[in-house]
Amino acid sequence: MNIPNSSTAPAPGEYAGDEVSAIVLDPGYSTTRAGFAGEDVPKSVCPSFYGQIDADSSSQYLFGENAIHTPRANLQIKNPWGADGIVEDWETATKIWEYAITSRLTGTKPSDPTKNGLNDGTNANGDAMDVDMDAVENQEKPLEDSPLLVTEPGWNSAKAREKYIEIAMEEWGTPAFYLQKTGVLAAFASGKASGIIIDVGASHTSVTPVLDGMVLRKGVQKSPLAGNFVSNQIRLIFKQSQPEVPLTPHYMVKSKTQVDAGAPAQAIYRNFDVPPTDSFRRYEEERVLTEFKESVVEIWPGPGRLSNTGNEDIAKSMPGRPFEMPDGWNQVFGAERFRPAESLFDANAAIQDSENPRPKDEQTIPRLVQAAVQHVDADQRPLLLQNIVVTGGSTLLYKFNDRLNYEINSIYPSTRNKLIAPGQVVERKYAAWIGGSILASLGSFHQLWISRKEYEEHGANIVEKRCR
Amino acid sequence: MPPFKDEQIIIIAPGSETTVAQLGLPESFTPARLRVRSRMFPAQKEGEWEPYKVRRRQGKLAAPAGEPQDRAQNGEVAKTAIPDGDEDDVLYEEDRVSEEGAVWPIQEGRIVNWSCFFALITHVYNALNPPFHTPILLIAQPVWTPKEHEKLTQFFFEKFKTPAFGMMDAALATSWAYGVHTSTIVDVGKDKADVTAVSEFIPHTQGRVISLAGCGGEALTQALLSRLKSKGFTREMCEQLKKSPICEILPPDTPLPGTREASEPDNITNPAAAASTGAAGSGPAAASTIGNAPRGPGADTEVGDDTGAEESEGVLDVASIVTGGRMNEYLAKKEKEKQEKAAAKKKGGAEAAAAAQARPVRLPNSKREKATFLYEDHALLDSLKNMNLGSVKLAEAQATLDEGPQKKAHEEGADGEPTSALEANGNAEGPSMTSRAGPIRREIEVGTERFMAASNDVLERIADAVHRTISSVDEVNKRSELWDSLIVCGNGSRVRGFKEALLATIQSKYLISPSSATIFTSEIPSNISTPAGTGANTPQPQLGPHGGLGGLGGPSSQVNPLLYAATTAQTQHLMPPSSNLMMSGMSGISHNMHSSHGQTPTSIKFLKPPEYFPEWKEVGFDEATFLGAQVAAKVIFVVDQGQSKGYMTRPDYNDQGPTGIHDYSL
């Protein structure tokens, strides 16, 4: 077996070839996606939130959907991502990602092959099994036989990037590793090598210019006006409306009774000996808000902004949408339903209070796009504007694309602007993962993997050289 | 000619508690012929496994004389004397009932002990005794990972040399059984529940709730145990109580019999009958005085029980009395009791019959404060066996202790009692079993605790899981159809009233009622937005269920929806009469009334099980997974013949290795 270095191409099939054993991991603020390369959807989608129960001396960690939705005493819901869109708590993040990979893809650590039963009975039959057992031998680390492709946000720090490869190599024991930016991958998923990628996720909105498969680092823009911001706006609307809209998560309700619109709820509530923590409640409230976003919230499609003269009146005249809270309270939302997401495009429209100041103008999506395009050579701009890829779960807000289209056309009236927004919800939500899946299953991608040998030789900063 | 015939196909569906399997597809699909408890016993050599407990017995060599006879009589305690090389008088017997020291390789659906699991599968395979040319369809638990699928594929091809192998997801199999393309499947197993949304025959892997721990049958048993522990119940007793028909899960907020609310008149299910018999005010407490009290030892029973406190206290734990050396004493007492009882029965027979006739309405279980069930005491049998009694004496002791009416025992034996610990290999053993050979039965009385099996939030947690699963389905317009086609299967849901209570829990928590504010402006037009065959109305996602004409934009949005409805209605040839709409509109009549926006669920329903499987109708569709597996086996092995890659053949395996299974499994 020849020792690969940076100048020799690995032998075909060395890193499992086109087989589906390469794993693609796409961690995000809200969910962590993982799956085998070559498949069309991630098999494993786990919440990036985790539960923590502090006991006297040690803490118990809970991962995965099943564990964190059951109200338990002192259960706190946390997230390892920092406010700047970079992982903050590496230790737990590693555990969450490992959970995402092992729980649904590889299984928990396999037992010793001599005892796992696969080899049993061969002697009884007289003919030995002709199976290569080397691959499954001595497995102690979870990823020992799978190359790993991880996605990272475009603004990731050099330190964070090194951390990724350290985790993959040291803790998971992966034989080969690669790090790629979500923007590039999302573009690949749409079959584009160049374009502007608008990714509206949970914690951040980012705009990434990509040219020939390379991110223009200077041009990467991000802002916190994304899904969580919209949720927050909804909370403010609820709080400021008269009377206040009660936001009761499901776990508190035992059974509800039908009440008239706007009437106070008449539900039977559950009693807890130890009330669940605030963070748990907030996380469960988020589920209700997600439902609200799915079924009520709408973005003013244009023309013009919602605040433009006359538009509010039109919005008011549209029939409202009703929404029922878990405790039975229900109301019809008329023009209010346009307000939570309007500030993604128009900072003036943001609902504010003392704790939630007005977002800056340059944080709105149209301004982000403008700033990103500014960093690109003038002659490349038309090319990029023809390929505006829209991705991220929050772009599924109703009429998001109509509005975005309108905004971009009003900034760049003279170019041919084209939005590329996959109609399939899965493709929109998991675009970066899908791009990673395509990339990692390409035969020509093999030479890009950073092998374990290279890592051992050059250390963690090899990512800086190899994964641009 | 198809490559495989119906009678060659093997289906294996492993489960945490029971593994079911079958060789050959019958003309009309039947419940699985082979049922095996999913456990093995460690053999003497480590890493090897035995299907039955092997008990080492210091037998006097006198025993063999009586043994052949014995074996003929006792269906299930087959004794095999294996002379040991070193000691001549050491006997080994296979005990087919005992579960002492068993290893259960599947826990919460996961395979935790692979060598044991493979031994189990091998045992099942050998028990089926298949011919050489046998394709195998394996029903995969949702929790099994792709890597584990590969491992299984490798095992099946290498070990059994099977010519073809297919793997199918359990939830998908259930949806095949019901013959629907879109459904939400709640599979309640032993220690876990899986909730899967299947749309257009594709299970949603994202957001699927896999192996929700503590939500299976075992949780129900534990809930009973926690209530009854103070009364001397063991886990085994609770397990059998759970399986007996008197254990019932009542819909949420149903008052328990014996509590004050329950005896209020409005709780009488049949007021007319109650009035005519004058039993209205009686309530369950009164009812129990007129002859419902159980016969048997213990306080408050009908037949003369002058037993002291000391006895009634220890009555549950007969095993300890027996092993404690007081057996003969106890046996004599029991014998006497039995005779007395018989005498009392004879004497009071006529009166009792009259009384029974005078009592026209037998109270339903849910209204009775107390009830009894027959408990099969395996522990007692085990301890008897451990005492090395002679077989004759053993049988005698067994007969004396057995309280189950002979006839009843026979009946129960006859219908196979699939959940019993006996390994019913086909039906062969059931009928031939005499009541004497069976486990010792005793009657045990329980109070209202028997309604509290779901008291530890099992239903709420499953309900929440269903909500989460459906909410995570990305196609919002599919959700209401998913809500309308719930399937609850799995043997954990067999407990009486479980499904109804689950549905009631889900409904009381999640059902969205039509908003009073929009009832007239949107309910009707939203129905009209049902996509017509012509496609005329299809591109109108704005027409939400409640949302009305949300974003038509511009002037058209000001059209009165009712007017709009009336004008467009003419083009709708598919539309049901509008009177119908009004009548049933409240509960949400059609799936299509939900276009891309709007909250779900507006209605929640169970799917009706298919009508055309008479054999399944009798036993219920709790194991619908296996039915679906038969349908699938027929389709992929016989009808489709591998054209759509429903199974992997031996050459495929040789070419691609275990990883190839991902291209083939359903």
Side-chain angles (χ1 to χ4, degrees):
Chain A
M1 188 180 154
N2 65 335
I3 298 149
N5 58 45
S6 52
S7 58
T8 56
E14 186 166 314
Y15 300 120
D18 279 343
E19 289 165 29
V20 274
S21 59
I23 287 177
V24 179
L25 177 71
D26 177 24
Y29 183 89
S30 163
T31 56
T32 300
R33 284 78 60 173
F36 290 106
E39 294 183 332
D40 49 3
V41 276
K43 273 221 163 66
S44 170
V45 179
C46 295
S48 296
F49 291 87
Y50 66 96
Q52 184 178 351
I53 299 176
D54 287 323
D56 301 330
S57 51
S58 61
S59 309
Q60 186 193 351
Y61 293 97
L62 302 171
F63 303 110
E65 281 274 327
N66 291 349
I68 59 175
H69 288 295
T70 315
R72 289 170 69 174
N74 302 324
L75 170 65
Q76 294 183 54
I77 302 295
K78 294 185 176 177
N79 194 302
W81 289 80
D84 53 353
I86 297 177
V87 176
E88 209 171 63
D89 179 357
W90 286 98
E91 206 178 308
T92 343
T94 312
K95 286 185 195 151
I96 292 169
W97 300 343
E98 190 179 324
Y99 173 85
I101 292 170
T102 53
S103 68
R104 304 250 170 124
L105 302 179
T106 59
T108 41
K109 292 166 190 173
S111 54
D112 190 356
T114 52
K115 286 194 198 137
N116 67 4
L118 270 177
N119 299 332
D120 286 0
T122 47
N123 298 337
N125 287 352
D127 51 341
M129 251 189 277
D130 191 18
V131 182
D132 184 15
M133 272 300 165
D134 290 348
V136 281
E137 209 149 32
N138 297 329
Q139 280 189 347
E140 273 161 15
K141 294 177 174 169
L143 277 180
E144 223 141 53
D145 52 356
S146 319
L148 180 70
L149 173 69
V150 182
T151 71
E152 57 164 351
W155 55 86
N156 219 0
S157 66
K159 218 177 124 202
R161 305 184 77 201
E162 290 181 9
K163 195 82 190 166
Y164 278 107
I165 192 169
E166 273 174 36
I167 292 169
M169 290 290 178
E170 308 283 344
E171 302 210 9
W172 297 341
T174 179
F177 177 83
Y178 197 71
L179 196 61
Q180 184 58 282
K181 292 193 164 41
T182 51
V184 178
L185 295 177
F188 283 170
S190 302
K192 306 285 174 193
S194 306
I196 290 183
I197 288 82
I198 301 177
D199 181 351
V200 190
S203 74
H204 280 86
T205 292
S206 68
V207 177
T208 317
V210 175
L211 256 180
D212 298 326
M214 300 293 277
V215 171
L216 297 175
R217 253 202 169 154
K218 278 183 294 176
V220 176
Q221 305 293 320
K222 65 161 177 155
S223 94
L225 302 192
N228 293 349
F229 172 78
V230 176
S231 296
N232 229 14
Q233 293 279 300
I234 300 171
R235 282 175 197 269
L236 288 174
I237 290 179
F238 285 175
K239 212 176 277 173
Q240 289 173 5
S241 69
Q242 289 299 331
E244 195 177 316
V245 175
L247 180 55
T248 320
H250 280 291
Y251 75 89
M252 295 186 58
V253 180
K254 200 161 177 225
S255 68
K256 61 181 179 185
T257 17
Q258 190 180 350
V259 292
D260 278 347
Q266 289 175 351
I268 304 164
Y269 296 95
R270 283 179 61 179
N271 291 320
F272 297 95
D273 300 336
V274 184
T277 57
D278 287 348
S279 62
F280 178 79
R281 180 178 175 132
R282 203 178 163 82
Y283 183 58
E284 291 298 303
E285 281 172 358
E286 207 61 36
R287 271 171 74 187
V288 181
L289 293 179
T290 303
E291 201 177 350
F292 188 81
K293 281 193 253 182
E294 279 172 351
S295 53
V296 176
V297 173
E298 185 171 340
I299 291 177
W300 175 252
R305 302 190 154 162
L306 183 62
S307 54
N308 288 9
T309 39
N311 282 352
E312 291 236 36
D313 292 334
I314 297 174
K316 265 187 200 131
S317 68
M318 291 184 183
R321 287 180 192 281
F323 185 79
E324 185 173 313
M325 288 288 175
D327 59 2
W329 182 95
N330 67 92
Q331 186 55 281
V332 176
F333 290 85
E336 302 99 311
R337 72 176 193 274
F338 293 98
R339 291 176 63 207
E342 177 67 15
S343 43
L344 294 180
F345 298 94
D346 178 6
N348 283 326
I351 299 135
Q352 311 157 25
D353 68 2
S354 51
E355 289 162 35
N356 300 277
R358 178 182 180 279
K360 297 188 191 91
D361 277 326
E362 57 269 26
Q363 288 178 330
T364 60
I365 294 174
R367 296 288 290 271
L368 289 178
V369 175
Q370 223 171 350
V373 173
Q374 215 71 52
H375 283 94
V376 183
D377 282 350
D379 51 341
Q380 305 278 18
R381 286 178 198 166
L383 171 68
L384 294 193
L385 287 168
Q386 273 176 39
N387 300 301
I388 302 173
V389 178
V390 183
T391 172
S394 298
T395 62
L396 294 167
L397 283 168
Y398 194 40
K399 302 253 172 192
F400 180 91
N401 286 342
D402 296 16
R403 177 63 177 274
L404 186 63
N405 199 24
Y406 164 80
E407 293 282 348
I408 287 177
N409 281 329
S410 63
I411 306 173
Y412 302 106
S414 56
T415 49
R416 243 184 92 238
N417 310 322
K418 197 178 162 212
L419 285 193
I420 298 161
Q424 278 258 320
V425 177
V426 175
E427 282 171 39
R428 193 92 70 87
K429 272 171 113 171
Y430 308 130
W433 185 91
I434 294 170
S437 168
I438 295 170
L439 184 66
S441 60
L442 288 179
S444 52
F445 179 67
H446 283 197
Q447 48 197 313
L448 290 177
W449 287 115
I450 299 171
S451 73
R452 168 164 280 280
K453 281 263 159 51
E454 289 168 285
Y455 169 75
E456 279 159 6
E457 205 168 303
H458 301 277
N461 67 356
I462 192 171
V463 274
E464 284 298 313
K465 292 182 207 136
R466 294 281 294 277
C467 312
R468 287 176 202 278
Chain B
M1 203 189 104
F4 302 107
K5 295 202 188 92
D6 280 5
E7 63 269 18
Q8 295 168 333
I9 298 168
I10 285 186
I11 301 169
I12 303 176
S16 307
E17 172 96 4
T18 317
T19 294
V20 292
Q22 183 163 314
L23 169 65
L25 300 175
E27 194 75 11
S28 166
F29 294 144
T30 53
R33 289 206 202 104
L34 179 71
R35 310 180 57 86
V36 175
R37 304 265 288 166
S38 303
R39 47 106 176 93
M40 296 297 268
F41 299 90
Q44 271 193 322
K45 217 170 117 200
E46 201 191 333
E48 287 183 7
W49 304 88
E50 294 286 342
Y52 303 110
K53 168 130 188 103
V54 175
R55 198 190 295 274
R56 196 186 145 117
R57 201 170 81 139
Q58 298 285 345
K60 299 274 143 40
L61 282 178
E67 225 159 49
Q69 248 184 346
D70 213 71
R71 200 183 301 167
Q73 273 179 5
N74 297 6
E76 91 279 352
V77 187
K79 291 175 189 164
T80 40
I82 310 162
D84 200 78
D86 304 323
E87 287 172 81
D88 278 40
D89 55 348
V90 172
L91 282 178
Y92 290 91
E93 65 175 352
E94 256 186 13
D95 186 338
R96 301 207 171 196
V97 182
S98 168
E99 304 236 292
E100 228 178 308
V103 174
W104 301 78
I106 309 175
Q107 267 158 32
E108 294 177 7
R110 281 183 194 87
I111 301 171
V112 290
N113 187 335
W114 282 88
S115 83
C116 185
F117 177 77
F118 287 144
L120 174 72
I121 296 295
T122 313
H123 169 60
V124 169
Y125 185 83
N126 293 337
L128 291 169
N129 195 13
F132 186 66
H133 191 65
T134 327
I136 299 176
L137 178 68
L138 182 72
I139 295 302
Q141 288 288 325
V143 74
W144 296 353
T145 63
K147 278 277 183 290
E148 288 168 347
H149 288 179
E150 293 169 16
K151 205 167 172 178
L152 289 163
T153 310
Q154 183 188 345
F155 173 77
F156 273 90
F157 276 111
E158 308 283 343
K159 172 90 186 179
F160 302 135
K161 316 275 184 245
T162 177
F165 175 69
M167 214 182 292
M168 189 184 200
D169 190 276
L172 188 61
T174 310
S175 79
W176 278 56
Y178 278 70
V180 290
H181 55 79
T182 301
S183 57
T184 307
I185 291 134
V186 183
D187 188 341
V188 186
K190 186 189 181 199
D191 288 310
K192 54 97 183 144
D194 298 311
V195 186
T196 315
V198 175
S199 80
E200 312 288 338
F201 291 119
I202 297 168
H204 271 264
T205 42
Q206 301 87 23
R208 174 180 194 182
V209 173
I210 291 177
S211 190
L212 187 64
C215 285
E218 183 62 31
L220 304 180
T221 309
Q222 290 302 333
L224 287 174
L225 183 60
S226 69
R227 300 263 167 185
L228 289 166
K229 207 168 197 167
S230 56
K231 302 196 175 168
F233 276 62
T234 60
R235 189 202 157 271
E236 184 56 32
M237 287 181 195
C238 293
E239 177 74 17
Q240 290 189 22
L241 166 63
K242 183 188 77 183
K243 286 170 181 165
S244 75
I246 63 158
C247 176
E248 198 172 343
I249 296 173
L250 302 176
D253 300 326
T254 312
L256 294 175
T259 55
R260 190 177 295 162
E261 306 101 273
S263 41
E264 276 168 19
D266 56 53
N267 269 306
I268 289 164
T269 39
N270 190 345
S276 66
T277 57
S282 62
S288 66
T289 60
I290 51 170
N292 261 341
R295 291 157 205 270
D300 298 337
T301 46
E302 238 180 33
V303 255
D305 253 348
D306 46 357
T307 45
E310 168 250 346
E311 221 256 39
S312 67
E313 174 193 67
V315 81
L316 286 173
D317 194 11
V318 182
S320 72
I321 297 181
V322 172
T323 46
R326 285 169 49 211
M327 188 176 75
N328 284 337
E329 210 178 301
Y330 185 75
L331 283 182
K333 200 173 195 173
K334 291 293 288 187
E335 193 64 43
K336 206 172 124 207
E337 237 169 54
K338 268 198 174 174
Q339 280 165 4
E340 270 173 24
K341 206 195 282 184
K345 239 185 221 164
K346 223 173 265 170
K347 194 175 66 183
E351 290 162 44
Q357 269 183 350
R359 181 160 37 99
V361 202
R362 214 178 145 213
L363 278 172
N365 177 45
S366 58
K367 297 275 181 262
R368 277 189 278 162
E369 204 172 337
K370 287 188 172 157
T372 57
F373 70 102
L374 275 183
Y375 169 56
E376 297 180 353
D377 200 340
H378 295 287
L380 181 53
L381 195 61
D382 270 354
S383 52
L384 279 180
K385 282 180 199 158
N386 280 336
M387 288 170 72
N388 277 325
L389 296 172
S391 55
V392 181
K393 225 176 158 194
L394 179 74
E396 253 172 30
Q398 230 170 306
T400 322
L401 288 167
D402 193 0
E403 279 170 9
Q406 299 252 333
K407 212 171 108 207
K408 201 163 174 190
H410 214 92
E411 270 171 6
E412 270 174 48
D415 53 46
E417 218 181 15
T419 44
S420 97
L422 307 180
E423 190 166 287
N425 197 341
N427 282 336
E429 269 170 12
S432 70
M433 190 170 71
T434 64
S435 69
R436 175 177 293 192
I440 299 163
R441 291 155 195 267
R442 287 186 294 128
E443 278 191 353
I444 295 181
E445 185 192 40
V446 258
T448 51
E449 289 91 354
R450 67 184 194 276
F451 301 117
M452 298 178 181
S455 57
N456 49 1
D457 281 358
V458 172
L459 294 176
E460 277 87 359
R461 292 180 58 197
I462 297 179
D464 184 55
V466 174
H467 183 253
R468 265 190 288 134
T469 306
I470 299 183
S471 302
S472 66
V473 171
D474 293 319
E475 296 109 323
V476 182
N477 50 353
K478 288 266 173 60
R479 289 186 192 167
S480 72
E481 192 177 351
L482 288 166
W483 278 112
D484 272 345
S485 38
L486 287 182
I487 298 173
V488 178
C489 65
N491 282 327
S493 68
R494 244 175 217 272
V495 180
R496 206 165 149 196
F498 183 92
K499 291 170 193 171
E500 291 72 19
L502 178 62
L503 185 64
T505 308
I506 297 177
Q507 278 178 337
S508 71
K509 272 193 85 167
Y510 298 109
L511 191 67
I512 305 288
S513 19
S515 171
S516 58
T518 52
I519 210 159
F520 289 112
T521 54
S522 68
E523 286 295 327
I524 299 164
S526 65
N527 279 317
I528 285 155
S529 78
T530 307
T534 59
N537 274 36
T538 325
Q540 289 187 344
Q542 301 92 339
L543 289 170
H546 311 298
L549 304 159
L552 276 182
S556 64
S557 66
Q558 284 155 33
V559 172
N560 179 343
L562 273 173
L563 186 62
Y564 181 78
T567 49
T568 45
Q570 290 158 1
T571 63
Q572 297 284 326
H573 51 280
L574 289 174
M575 221 188 69
S578 58
S579 60
N580 258 345
L581 277 183
M582 289 305 288
M583 303 248 302
S584 53
M586 301 302 109
S587 59
I589 61 145
S590 92
H591 309 313
N592 298 321
M593 68 182 276
H594 292 268
S595 48
S596 62
H597 281 265
Q599 259 180 298
T600 52
T602 51
S603 76
I604 305 166
K605 277 181 246 158
F606 278 142
L607 220 50
K608 277 210 179 63
E611 296 278 328
Y612 33 83
F613 296 106
E615 284 89 352
W616 283 87
K617 250 175 148 175
E618 287 163 22
V619 296
F621 284 82
D622 298 297
E623 289 186 358
T625 308
F626 197 79
L627 171 60
Q630 295 180 63
V631 178
K634 176 96 182 167
V635 171
I636 65 173
F637 288 121
V638 182
V639 180
D640 180 68
Q641 300 174 25
Q643 280 171 4
S644 37
K645 288 191 164 187
Y647 61 88
M648 193 181 197
T649 61
R650 182 91 211 167
D652 292 333
Y653 177 76
N654 291 343
D655 282 354
Q656 302 173 29
T659 46
I661 190 70
H662 303 300
D663 298 336
Y664 294 96
S665 52
L666 283 173

